Each structure stands twice: as C-alpha cells, then as structure tokens.
C-alpha cells in the first residue's frame, strides 16, 4: 500500500511518487518526519506496513521518597518498507531513521506486506511468498504460489492461514503449504485485502478490492461454508485507495472507503450470511473550498487521501495534497446522502502565511516624531523651520548612521575537500571521486586526510586500491593519498582487524612493480648511453651540410692582393733564372769548400757567400739597365 494509518491511528504514512516516506501525526495535525532511502530512484519503495513493537520503559521515581520504579508498556511504532530490489527496510519512527535492512537475495520486487505478531512478516515477491523473521533477521520460508504475480497478501490473526491474491484469491495452510479454498470473482488484479474482526469465530470475513472494479467484495472465511462467491458487494463510484473497518459490539460493521476521486463512502452493515443486493453507502463525505467567484464555480473540491475510525462515532479524515495535509475528526451524518465540509484551500492558506511573514509595516511618521541618539535615550535637540516643522540637526543624523564597518569573520579557506570526498564515498559517484582523488596539491590532500572521519577510512582504502592498480596517473595519485593516510592515521588503521584484507591488493601491486624495477633501470642506463651518441652524430652531419647564410667580397682588397701575388711570383722566377745562368760560380765554391779544412772552409764559405750576395746585387742592379 502507498499510504496507511497506524493501528492506533496516531500516525499516517505515505509513499510519494519520488520514493520518499512522509509521516504525519494525526493527533497534533503536524508533519513529523520525511525519509529518503538510499538509491530511492534506482530501487524505490513499493509498499509499506505498520508494525507495533512492545518495549518496556522504566519511570524513575523521586530519590528522596525512595519509591519503587514502575514499568509501563510503551508502543514504539515501526514501518516495514518493501523495495523493487527485494530488500526489506525497517524504519523506526521513534529513532527517526532506518533501523535495519534485510536482503532476500532474489533481486525481485516486494509487492505487498502483512503481519500478525510484529516479528513475522509475510511478503509477496513476484510469484513467491517469503516469510521474514525480524528477530532472527533472515528469511525463514519461501514457496511458489502460482504462475501469476502476488499483488496482495493478508495474514489471518489467531490462525495458521494466509491469503494471497492475484486475480484469484487463495487461502493457504501455512503448516503444510496447501491451498484450502479459492475465491474467484474479480476481473482484474486484487490490490487490497482487509480482515474484518468478527464478534464470533464463526463470522470471520475479509474484504477485497481490485484496481479495475468499483466494488468492494466481502468473503466468508468459514471453512464449513462451500460458497465460492462474495457474500456482499459494496458499491463505489471509483477505485478504492484506503479502507478503515470498525466492528461494534452488536456486530454492526462500519466501513469508510476512500476512493480515487477524493471522497469517502461510509457504510454500515451487519455481516450475517449472503446479501442479495449490492450495498450502497449511507453517506458520502466530501471536502470543498469556497472560491467566492461565480455561481458556476462556487466551490473547489479538496481531495481526501485517507480515513480512520477513532471509535464507533468519530472518523478521522486527512485532506489536502501530498505536501500539505490536514487531519480532523468528524462525526458522519448518515441522515444525508452527501456530507459536505467547507474548508479553506491549503494552497491559499500557505500563500497567506508566506505573505504575512514577508509583509513589512511602514510606521506612521507625523510632526510629533522625536529622534533619539543610539548612545543615550535623551531627546535630541531639534530646530524649527520657517514653516513650523521640526528638523533634526545634521550631526544627530550622522550619529544615527552606522558608518563603521561590521567586523566580519575570517574568510573561509578552501584548503580541503573532505566533505566532497565523504559525499562521493557515500554515494559511490565515480565522477566526484575522480575529481577529489586527482587533486595534485599535496597541501590540500594532507588537510583532507586530516579531517576525514574514521568511518570513511575503509571505503577510501578500497577505492585507492583500485587506483594504485591502474595506469601511471591514477597509480601516482593513489600512492600519494595512501602515503598521507598511513602517515596520519597509522594507529587507527593498525587497530582495524580488516587491515590485511584492505591492503593485500595494494601490497601485491607494489611487489609486482618492484620486480620490474631492476630491468627498467638497466634499460634506462642503456638508453642514456645510446641516445646522446645518436643525437651528437646527427648534429655533426647537419653542421657539415650547412652552407653560409652570407658571403661578402671586398673588390678593392682582392684586386690589390692579386697584384702583389703576381709581383712576388715574377721576382721569385727571375732570381731562380739568374742562379741557373751562373753555374761556374757555384761549382768553384763547392770545389773550394771540399779541399780546404773545416775551419778555413767555414770562413771561405762566409766570404764566398758575401761575394755571391755582392755579385747578385750587382746583377740585379744591371738588369733594369740591360732591359
């Protein structure tokens, strides 16, 4: 069911379309709690059921009087939630949070829930019935009931019988898992099963309603009766959403059925055998709001979402929207066919409250206004204008102005991403984790690790293990985070018994990479020797093939140098020719040097050399004359 009252009628719970659980206190008419389960979009809640757990609460007496402490039974309501992933959630209203969760390991949607003793929960998972034990926190039984999906289930109190419904309704014996009876008559899937508390054991009944029928059918649970059809049918104007049943002492059954159109049909009937005609409602309760417009649109209907019997005379109804619900107690008037309640529209009421809270009141200022300074409460001096009005002096006006700057707090520093990391670990969002863990600033990483709570260590180590086993960048980032975690929280990690399992994958990756370190160093050394040689040879080849970017020739200098070279060449050739033309002089000198002794020979050679030089000079002097 998407909405339900608690057994005592104090709380009303509703599952919204976005998967959120909302709880109202019907006695104080206030919105109490709102709960959003994890993964409420991927595996939303499908049904809910109230259970009552009895606990003992001790009241302490006055220590002076030394009275004995009395114990009183206090009911702590809880809500069982079924999800589409086969997980059963236990929500505590007292603790305002999720108390426990149970997994069926089937990954099948839980369609309906029912209970009797508040420890055993009966649920329908596709074509199966699963029995849960909340105390032992496990599934104790499971069996298949047919080929159709179980859409409704009802555990019969004070018996070992169970009702399951799809299109047909089956009565099961829980001890032997056998079908005792089959009830047929609905055209579509049955969505509701309600047990009618009998005034005698022979008169036990149950109500059923389907999503395609506009009737509620009443069936007898007496095994001695062979009747397979419904003993009574209650007419409706629309599909039933919520039913409240109350049996009086004289056996009269009162029923308030809330339909999809937003009205409540109130029935009063005594179940005693088969009824020949369909039963019509005694009265119909409707809530409207007065618009104050034209006669054609005098009222606007306000939808009723649920009804509950406080007692045999009082009926509690909740009307409004899923966001704004109002609960009130009324006494149905069965003397009229239509019981219309005129109430204020909750949307307009909310807008008026917001308008009152944001409305500003402008004070009335007249000639008798007197201004006070902030330091003293003495009336400031004023002066009168020519027209008779009073004027506040300028110095007093300046005193009233707060010209000093307000001392603000320190500017927040974005030197850590601890909150973002906790959010990513909780939601397992890969994008958030990648943004945080790829942080290259070591100061930010150090501050983030310092501010992490203890509960975040285990999921963070598991995430870092996958990063370290990755490629270069992810391994580098994961190693840096792992280093600071081990440095700052080594004591806490050593006390964790799961530490070997958490670090086993990381240590294995480190060992495998250390085994490759020596071959990599050898390869690096060889490459360091080879690459400079290849680069130097390439540079030499490139310099040899290079040509000058600019060549400059000085024409005058080159011509003079060529002339000097030609003159020198001619003088050298002329001297050689003259030496060859005097062979006799050369031979005489050579013969004289051979005959004479060494000492005299040296002097003669010197003299001969001088003579040769003189003769050479004379010849040189005679050459131009002969020419």
């Amino acid at each position: 069911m998407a909405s339900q009252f608690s057994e005592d009628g104090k709380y009303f719970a509703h599952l919204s379309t976005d998967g959120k659980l909302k709880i109202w206190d019907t006695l104080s008419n206030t919105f109490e709690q709102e709960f959003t389960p994890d993964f409420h979009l991927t595996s939303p809640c499908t049904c809910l059921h109230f259970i009552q757990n009895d606990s003992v609460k001790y009241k302490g007496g006055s220590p002076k009087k030394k009275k004995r402490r009395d114990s009183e039974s206090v009911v702590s309501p809880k809500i069982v939630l079924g999800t589409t992933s086969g997980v059963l959630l236990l929500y505590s209203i007292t603790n305002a949070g999720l108390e426990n969760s149970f997994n069926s390991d089937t990954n099948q949607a839980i369609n309906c829930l029912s209970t009797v003793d508040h420890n055993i929960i009966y649920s329908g998972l596709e074509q199966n019935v699963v029995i849960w034990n909340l105390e032992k926190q496990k599934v104790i039984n499971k069996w298949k009931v047919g080929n159709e999906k179980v859409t409704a289930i009802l555990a019969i109190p004070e018996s070992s019988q169970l009702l399951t419904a799809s299109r047909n309704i089956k009565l099961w014996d829980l001890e032997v898992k056998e079908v005792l009876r089959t009830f047929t008559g609905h055209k579509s899937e049955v969505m509701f099963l309600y047990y009618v508390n009998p005034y005698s054991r022979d008169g036990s009944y149950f109500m059923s309603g389907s999503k395609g029928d506009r009737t509620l059918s009443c069936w007898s649970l007496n095994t001695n009766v062979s009747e397979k059809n419904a003993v009574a049918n209650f007419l409706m104007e629309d599909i039933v959403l919520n039913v409240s049943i109350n049996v009086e002492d004289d056996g009269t059954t009162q029923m308030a059925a809330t339909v999809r159109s937003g009205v409540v049909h109130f029935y009063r009937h005594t179940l005693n055998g088969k009824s020949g005609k369909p039963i019509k409602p005694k009265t119909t309760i409707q809530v409207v709001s007065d618009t104050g417009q034209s006669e054609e649109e005098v009222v606007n209907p306000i939808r009723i979402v649920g009804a509950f019997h406080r007692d045999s005379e009082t009926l509690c109804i909740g009307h409004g929207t899923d966001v704004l619900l109002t609960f009130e107690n009324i006494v149905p008037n069965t003397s009229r066919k239509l019981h219309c309640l005129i109430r204020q529209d909750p949307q307009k009421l909310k807008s008026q409250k917001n308008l009152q809270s944001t409305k500003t009141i402008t004070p009335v200022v007249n000639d008798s206004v007197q201004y006070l300074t902030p330091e003293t409460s003495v009336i400031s001096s004023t002066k009168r204008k020519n027209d008779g009005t009073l004027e506040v002096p300028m110095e007093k006006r300046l005193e009233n102005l707060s010209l000093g700057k307000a001392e603000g707090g320190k500017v927040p520093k974005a030197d850590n991403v601890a909150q973002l990391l906790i959010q990513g670990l909780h939601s397992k969002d890969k994008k958030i984790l990648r943004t945080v863990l790829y942080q290259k600033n070591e100061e930010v990483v150090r501050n983030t690790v310092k501010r992490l709570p203890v509960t975040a260590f285990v999921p963070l180590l598991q995430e870092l293990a996958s990063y370290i086993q990755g490629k270069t960048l992810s391994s580098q980032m994961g190693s840096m985070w792992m280093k600071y975690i081990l440095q700052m929280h080594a004591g806490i990690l050593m006390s964790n018994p799961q530490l070997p399992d958490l670090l086993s994958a990381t240590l294995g990756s480190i060992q495998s990479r250390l085994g490759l370190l020596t071959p990599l160093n050898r390869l690096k050394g060889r490459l360091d020797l080879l690459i400079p040689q290849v680069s130097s040879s390439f540079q030499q080849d490139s310099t040899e093939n290079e040509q000058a970017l600019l060549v400059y020739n000085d024409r005058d200098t080159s011509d003079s140098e060529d002339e000097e070279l030609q003159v020198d060449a001619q003088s050298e050739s002329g001297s050689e020719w003259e030496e060859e033309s005097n062979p006799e002089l050369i031979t005489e000198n050579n013969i004289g040097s051979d005959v004479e002794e060494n000492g005299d020979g040296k002097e003669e050679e010197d003299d001969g050399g001088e003579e040769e030089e003189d003769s050479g000079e004379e010849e040189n002097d005679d050459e131009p004359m002969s020419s």
Side-chain angles (χ1 to χ4, degrees):
M1 295 177 59
S3 60
Q4 189 183 25
F5 282 89
S6 60
E7 292 184 4
D8 55 357
K10 181 180 179 181
Y11 296 101
F12 178 78
H14 174 72
L15 280 176
S16 59
T17 55
D18 56 355
K20 296 181 180 180
L21 174 65
K22 298 181 179 180
I23 303 172
W24 285 266
D25 189 342
T26 61
L27 298 179
S28 60
N29 194 17
T30 56
F31 178 72
E32 289 291 325
Q33 300 173 17
E34 181 177 359
F35 172 67
T36 304
D38 294 338
F39 308 107
H40 66 285
L41 298 179
T42 57
S43 58
C45 297
T46 56
C47 54
L48 63 90
H49 193 81
F50 272 95
I51 61 174
Q52 302 288 339
N53 280 356
D54 296 336
S55 60
V56 178
K57 180 180 179 181
Y58 294 93
K59 294 179 63 177
S62 175
K64 296 181 179 180
K65 297 181 180 180
K66 298 182 180 180
K67 292 183 178 180
R68 181 179 296 178
R69 294 180 178 179
D70 300 329
S71 64
E72 62 177 1
S73 177
V74 177
V75 177
S76 56
K78 297 180 181 179
I79 302 176
V80 181
L81 301 171
T83 62
T84 56
S85 59
V87 178
L88 192 70
L89 305 177
L90 184 61
Y91 180 83
S92 175
I93 299 179
T94 306
N95 300 329
L98 195 64
E99 186 172 300
N100 208 339
S101 61
F102 314 94
N103 196 347
S104 62
D105 298 329
T106 59
N107 201 22
Q108 296 178 349
I110 300 177
N111 303 317
C112 48
L113 295 167
S114 181
T115 184
V116 176
D117 60 354
H118 312 307
N119 281 328
I120 306 299
I121 303 296
Y122 303 90
S123 62
L125 277 77
E126 298 299 331
Q127 298 90 8
N128 304 315
V129 171
V130 178
I131 304 178
W132 311 73
N133 192 323
L134 299 183
E135 185 177 359
K136 296 181 180 179
Q137 300 181 2
K138 66 177 183 178
V139 176
I140 59 175
N141 207 337
K142 177 182 177 181
W143 76 92
K144 188 175 182 180
V145 297
N147 296 326
E148 296 181 350
K149 181 175 67 173
V150 179
T151 56
I153 193 169
L154 176 64
I156 300 175
E158 299 179 0
S159 68
S160 60
Q161 296 177 351
L162 181 71
L163 286 170
T164 61
S166 52
R167 284 194 177 184
N168 300 328
I169 304 173
K170 297 179 181 180
L171 179 63
W172 292 83
D173 189 348
L174 294 176
E175 295 180 356
V176 295
K177 307 296 186 300
E178 292 182 355
V179 179
L180 300 178
R181 292 181 62 184
T182 302
F183 305 92
T184 59
H186 288 287
K187 298 179 181 179
S188 57
E189 295 178 350
V190 177
M191 303 304 296
F192 309 101
L193 292 174
Y194 297 96
Y195 179 72
V196 180
N197 190 15
Y199 61 93
S200 65
R201 186 58 190 166
D202 296 335
S204 57
Y205 299 90
F206 72 92
M207 299 283 185
S208 65
S210 65
K211 65 179 182 180
D213 298 338
R214 296 185 178 182
T215 59
L216 271 179
S217 300
C218 181
W219 313 81
S220 176
L221 288 173
N222 193 351
T223 56
N224 298 326
V225 179
S226 61
E227 182 67 36
K228 294 184 179 181
N229 297 325
V231 297
N233 291 313
F234 297 86
L235 293 179
M236 307 281 173
E237 69 174 19
D238 207 340
I239 300 173
V240 183
L241 297 180
N242 184 279
V243 174
S244 177
I245 299 173
N246 179 50
V247 179
E248 298 180 355
D249 296 336
D250 58 354
T252 303
T253 302
Q254 295 179 349
M255 183 175 66
T258 307
V259 296
R260 186 175 57 182
S261 59
V263 299
V264 175
H265 296 296
F266 183 78
Y267 300 86
R268 181 174 290 167
H269 179 73
T270 301
L271 296 174
N272 187 12
K274 187 174 182 180
S275 177
K277 296 181 180 180
I279 302 172
K280 297 181 179 180
K282 294 293 183 180
T283 183
T284 299
I285 303 171
Q286 185 178 8
V287 181
V288 297
S289 64
D290 189 2
T291 60
Q293 297 178 359
S294 61
E295 296 181 357
E296 296 179 356
E297 298 179 356
V298 177
V299 294
N300 282 334
I302 299 176
R303 181 169 170 264
I304 300 177
V305 297
F308 179 80
H309 281 92
R310 297 282 189 196
D311 49 38
S312 59
E313 296 181 355
T314 307
L315 185 68
C316 175
I317 61 172
H319 54 83
T321 62
D322 294 343
V323 180
L324 299 173
L325 275 182
T326 303
F327 294 90
E328 61 175 309
N329 297 327
I330 63 171
V331 178
N333 186 3
T334 57
S335 61
R336 293 182 296 177
K337 292 295 183 181
L338 180 61
H339 188 183
C340 186
L341 303 175
I342 300 176
R343 299 291 184 267
Q344 191 171 4
D345 191 355
Q347 295 289 346
K348 294 182 179 179
L349 183 62
K350 181 181 178 182
S351 61
Q352 290 179 1
K353 290 182 179 179
N354 294 335
L355 182 61
Q356 292 177 0
S357 61
T358 58
K359 187 176 181 180
T360 58
I361 301 175
T362 304
V364 179
V365 180
N366 50 24
D367 297 340
S368 61
V369 174
Q370 296 177 348
Y371 292 87
L372 300 179
T373 60
E375 290 83 5
T376 62
S377 60
V378 180
I379 300 176
S380 61
S381 60
T382 58
K383 62 181 180 179
R384 189 178 298 275
K385 292 184 179 181
N386 296 329
D387 56 357
T389 59
L390 298 177
E391 182 182 3
V392 180
M394 182 59 66
E395 59 271 13
K396 298 301 180 182
R397 294 183 182 182
L398 293 176
E399 289 179 359
N400 293 334
L401 295 177
S402 57
L403 300 178
K405 295 183 179 180
E407 296 181 358
K410 296 182 179 179
V411 179
K413 296 181 179 180
D415 58 348
N416 71 90
V417 287
Q419 191 63 33
L420 188 61
L421 178 58
I422 294 171
Q423 181 181 356
L425 293 174
H426 181 69
S427 61
K428 297 181 181 179
D429 193 332
K430 297 296 182 182
K431 187 175 181 180
I432 297 177
L433 291 174
R434 193 181 303 110
T435 303
V436 175
L437 296 179
Y438 276 28
Q439 181 67 244
K440 296 182 179 180
N441 191 345
E442 295 191 9
E443 186 67 23
V444 175
V445 174
R446 187 185 299 107
N447 294 333
T448 302
V449 173
K450 188 186 300 182
R451 288 169 173 79
L452 282 179
V454 180
T455 55
F457 290 166
V458 173
L460 179 57
L461 290 177
Q462 293 174 352
E463 190 69 25
L464 291 178
S466 62
Y467 272 69
I468 292 176
Q469 295 175 5
K471 295 184 179 180
T472 305
L473 182 59
S474 63
S475 178
Q476 182 181 359
M477 295 295 102
S479 301
M480 181 175 63
W481 281 87
M482 183 71 73
K483 178 183 71 174
Y484 286 112
I485 290 176
L486 296 177
Q487 286 179 355
M488 297 182 181
H489 305 289
I492 299 175
L493 294 176
M494 290 295 292
S495 62
N496 191 347
Q498 300 178 357
L499 185 62
D501 297 334
L502 293 174
L503 298 180
S504 59
T506 304
L507 293 176
S509 177
I510 293 174
Q511 291 294 335
S512 62
R513 296 188 181 187
L514 287 177
L516 298 175
L517 183 60
T518 302
L520 286 176
N521 288 334
R522 292 177 181 175
L523 178 61
K524 183 177 181 300
R526 294 176 182 177
L527 291 176
D528 291 343
L529 293 175
L530 182 61
I531 291 174
Q533 295 179 5
V534 174
S535 60
S536 61
S537 62
F538 177 75
Q539 291 177 359
Q540 291 177 1
D541 296 339
S542 61
T543 54
E544 290 177 358
N545 297 328
E546 288 181 356
Q547 296 181 358
L549 297 177
L550 178 64
V551 177
Y552 176 74
N553 293 325
D554 191 355
R555 182 177 298 175
D556 297 337
T557 306
S558 61
D559 295 340
S560 61
E561 289 178 355
D562 293 339
E563 292 176 357
E564 291 177 358
L565 291 174
Q566 291 177 1
V567 172
D568 294 338
Q570 291 177 0
S571 61
E572 289 177 358
S573 62
S575 61
E576 291 177 358
W577 181 80
E578 289 177 357
E579 289 177 357
E580 291 177 357
S581 61
N582 297 325
E584 295 178 356
L585 182 59
I586 296 172
T587 53
E588 290 178 358
N589 292 331
N590 293 332
I591 294 170
S593 62
D594 293 335
V595 175
E596 293 179 357
E597 295 178 356
N598 294 331
D600 297 333
K602 292 180 180 180
E603 294 176 357
E604 291 177 357
E605 287 178 0
D606 296 334
D607 296 336
E610 293 176 356
E611 292 176 357
E612 290 178 358
E613 292 177 357
D614 296 336
S615 62
E617 291 177 356
E618 293 176 356
E619 291 176 357
N620 292 330
D621 295 335
D622 295 337
E623 281 181 0
M625 295 177 65
S626 61
S627 61

